[in-house]
Amino acid sequence: MWQTLPISKELYGFLPEANWHEAWTATAMIVETEHKLEIHTDIHVYYVKNKEEFELLLEAIRHLASIKKEEMAKESCVIHFRCKGISTFTLDDSMPVQHYSDRDILVDVEFSEELAS
């Protein structure tokens, strides 16, 4: 569903497989410390069509984090998600949103998760 493409050594972009010519739906910046890996992601929710696609995007980001953690031999990895933009669906029932119009939702949410060992 999602293509993960390297933009530079530390930066990756995520695009829908069918629309490779469109803007990046998400980017992930890899920050490495001695024992830990941090992945800082920016998700532009305007380009995500529905909740299922959003969940698949999160899984693609987690998959990249898992690969990088193993490649770099790090003890831990934390993924920081920043989701912003206008959406036509609620990303997650627990996330706060602001209704922008009758059908649009303004999303400005940040959350983090530690990658399971």
Side-chain angles (χ1 to χ4, degrees), residues 18-48:
N19 298 323
W20 59 270
H21 60 281
E22 291 185 6
W24 301 112
T25 302
T27 56
M29 175 69 75
I30 297 172
V31 178
E32 181 182 9
T33 64
E34 188 176 344
H35 300 288
K36 184 170 138 182
L37 191 65
E38 289 189 12
I39 312 287
H40 296 269
T41 63
D42 288 303
I43 298 174
H44 309 285
V45 296
Y46 177 79
Y47 297 108
V48 181

Side-chain angles (χ1 to χ4, degrees), residues 9 15 25-27 30 32 51 57 61 65 80 85 88-89 92 95 102 106 110-111:
K9 184 180 176 198
L15 294 168
T25 302
T27 56
I30 297 172
E32 181 182 9
K51 193 171 182 174
L57 176 57
I61 293 167
H80 302 283
T88 56
F89 64 95
D92 184 325
M95 292 182 183
D102 288 343
L106 182 60
E110 294 184 29
F111 61 98

